[in-house]
Amino acid sequence: VATMPGERTVTVRWNASERATGYKVYATTNLAEPFRVIGVTGGTQMVFAMTAPQCFYRVTATNEFGESN
């Protein structure tokens, strides 16, 4: 996962997974807190509004069998 800061936005990008049909993007502002889903897409990037000075992202791949770890 790579992030690219923009003007009040952040672009989250990742490499495609071979058998993925979609992706879920999770975020948290504190690693002691759980990640929450902030987006679902079929592509390999999403743009979000910056809502905190620091944010951690996690992306999982999905397909007909479920969701990756």
Side-chain angles (χ1 to χ4, degrees), residues 9-62:
T9 64
V10 62
T11 301
V12 181
R13 294 183 176 140
W14 55 91
N15 293 327
S17 179
E18 188 176 322
R19 293 189 177 120
T21 56
Y23 301 91
K24 288 185 180 179
V25 180
Y26 293 80
T28 186
T29 55
N30 181 341
L31 290 175
E33 300 288 328
F35 281 80
R36 63 182 178 84
V37 176
I38 59 168
V40 176
T41 184
T44 57
Q45 74 175 35
M46 291 190 81
V47 178
F48 300 99
M50 291 180 75
T51 58
Q54 177 174 287
C55 198
F56 302 93
Y57 298 93
R58 182 173 83 108
V59 177
T60 60
T62 60

